[in-house]
Amino acid sequence: MIDIRDFVDVDNATQNRRIFGDPDIYKLELERIFARCWLFLTHESLIPNVGDFVVTKMGEDEVIVWRQRDKSIKAFLNVCTHRGMRLCPSESGNSKGMSCSYHGWAFGVDGGLSAVPVEEAIYGPDFDKCKLGLREVPLVDSYHGFIFGCMDAAAPSLPDYLGDAAWYFDIWADVPGGVELLGPPSRTILNANWKSPTENFIGDAYHVGWTHAPVLAAMMGEVPPQASFIGDEKSFQMTSRYGHGLGIINNFGPALLLHECPELAPWMEKRAALLAQSKGPDIARLYTNNWDASIFPNISYLFGIMVFKVWHPLGPDKIEVMTWPIAEKEMPDDLKRRLAVASHRTFGPAGMLEGDDLDNFEYATRPNRGFVTRQGDLNLQMGLGQEREDPALPGVIGPFMSEMAQRGFYRAYADCLSSDDWTELEATTANWKQATLRK
Ligand code: FES
Ligand SMILES: [Fe+2]
């Protein structure tokens, strides 16, 4: 049995490279992370009508997320219950039922087995279709229209799972009219471990002025000094109980996107003025800042650059990346379109900044094939010991230019993999704050 604490040293902030490629650790991740945690499925705006569906993944389990007749949303494993054929070959669509292309069993929007070809003649009168419906994902819930599913019925509620990260999510998602994701998503395959991009988006401010220097120079007219990404006293990182984290840099604004989509500036100024009235100037300022964030285990978003991503694992060294631009529903259609173009141009599959990062993710993963290389450790000690509490900000806070959020991600990762179930995981993480603050 793997003891993940042999590979993740939380106190010393080092991780053994084997967590980025070992097949046995990967199997444990599928079982104890992806079949246990809340995972992003889709956004309500992408399946607004009865019968609308999308096909996505929960770990490596493919699921159909389907709008029901009563407008609720259910999710089912995308496999026929007869001989296991994949049921739906499409990425999205609208249908009140689906039939399997192998022998023709048909399933309704509620997942029930509705018809079996020549049933009476070959199965007889006692054949019980009620027991042969699609396997349903036990927990499905929505937060500001973002639909999540969870394979473990013993998991805490979605708001409890999001914990301190929900307060931050509310700042940009709980706006008048709400937000939406502009679909369909782009999908790309990348030869990287799923944790590489998640840890990058959760808090890697360090690479921005180095990896992205040539593109930033092209976009902004000059190479910004790397020190400009340290941030001021109002910039910070946050980490939370189940590993969700983010970094918010003040006085940088959504500068990159504004370069591509200047029409966004007046919209955000108007929104910020409203927010200042309803929630105060500090919240309004956060809304106009530039954010990088990940929700454990495999969701990332950049608010300010308006991009939302999921990194689906397809093995220890392969992922499928899904990318959507984020927009506010009340934005004029033309602004949404401009914003989508700008968002894809920066962080879409062929985005100027995305391309820089993909190289990092791939070449941080590939060297693990080397027998000697993969015995080595990786380091996340930047800002160690500078964790603090802030009366105005939920979670544990650290300097923007640090690796605290990444450390929090791997602390939660180790807690998750070393716990047999949610009862043990909740007990293990009960003192996460004191442990993170090193009290
Ligand atoms: S496998 Fe689907 S009907 Fe036989
Ligand atoms: Fe990057």
Side-chain angles (χ1 to χ4, degrees), residues 200-201 204 207-208 211-212 347 353 356-357 360-361:
N200 173 279
F201 275 65
D204 195 326
H207 82 292
V208 177
T211 286
H212 298 302
F347 277 96
L353 293 149
D356 295 336
D357 285 326
N360 286 338
F361 305 153

Side-chain angles (χ1 to χ4, degrees), residues 134-387:
L134 300 178
R135 176 150 176 193
E136 189 171 342
V137 177
L139 302 178
V140 174
D141 199 1
S142 166
Y143 195 77
H144 298 314
F146 290 78
I147 301 163
F148 290 73
C150 180
M151 291 292 191
D152 190 337
S157 70
L158 178 59
D160 284 350
Y161 178 74
L162 294 174
D164 292 325
W167 185 88
Y168 297 90
F169 204 88
D170 292 350
I171 291 173
W172 61 270
D174 186 20
V175 291
V179 296
E180 61 185 325
L181 297 182
L182 303 178
S186 55
R187 297 175 183 238
T188 41
I189 302 293
L190 182 64
N191 294 318
N193 182 272
W194 64 273
K195 296 185 290 299
S196 287
T198 314
E199 70 155 64
N200 173 279
F201 275 65
I202 210 170
D204 195 326
Y206 196 28
H207 82 292
V208 177
W210 186 264
T211 286
H212 298 302
V215 174
L216 293 178
M219 293 174 84
M220 303 168 90
E222 59 178 354
V223 181
Q226 213 176 355
S228 64
F229 298 98
I230 292 174
D232 60 10
E233 75 289 346
K234 288 196 165 75
S235 307
F236 61 94
Q237 277 196 344
M238 184 280 300
T239 188
S240 60
R241 180 174 184 173
Y242 296 121
H244 324 311
L246 51 73
I248 299 182
I249 185 165
N250 186 42
N251 280 338
F252 197 76
L256 298 179
L257 198 68
L258 290 183
H259 181 272
E260 296 289 302
C261 180
E263 299 88 339
L264 185 61
W267 176 270
M268 291 197 84
E269 277 163 26
K270 219 170 51 190
R271 281 299 201 211
L274 276 178
L275 266 177
Q277 282 172 9
S278 61
K279 297 186 178 174
D282 289 341
I283 299 290
R285 178 175 47 75
L286 291 174
Y287 173 83
T288 59
N289 285 171
N290 210 57
W291 300 35
D292 53 84
S294 291
I295 296 173
F296 189 91
N298 65 332
I299 302 162
S300 296
Y301 67 86
L302 301 173
F303 185 67
I305 292 181
M306 307 302 200
V307 70
F308 193 90
K309 285 177 175 286
V310 178
W311 322 97
H312 293 295
L314 292 176
D317 55 5
K318 192 180 272 197
I319 48 179
E320 180 179 10
V321 186
M322 292 176 75
T323 304
W324 300 259
I326 302 168
E328 294 183 16
K329 283 187 188 162
E330 291 186 351
M331 284 175 173
D333 285 346
D334 193 53
L335 176 56
K336 288 182 191 175
R337 191 188 60 77
R338 291 278 302 123
L339 196 149
V341 170
S343 175
H344 278 301
R345 195 179 287 150
T346 49
F347 277 96
M352 291 181 284
L353 293 149
E354 182 91 342
D356 295 336
D357 285 326
L358 300 190
D359 226 32
N360 286 338
F361 305 153
E362 192 157 331
Y363 286 94
T365 298
R366 184 178 290 203
N368 295 321
R369 292 181 192 171
F371 175 78
V372 177
T373 300
R374 68 172 172 260
Q375 314 301 320
D377 285 342
L378 303 178
N379 185 291
L380 282 176
Q381 294 175 336
M382 192 196 302
L384 199 62
Q386 296 185 52
E387 301 83 0

Side-chain angles (χ1 to χ4, degrees), residues 2 7 17-27 316 374:
I2 293 165
F7 303 97
R17 295 192 76 127
R18 283 177 56 190
I19 68 168
F20 295 95
D22 184 289
D24 292 328
I25 292 177
Y26 177 69
K27 274 187 214 153
R374 68 172 172 260

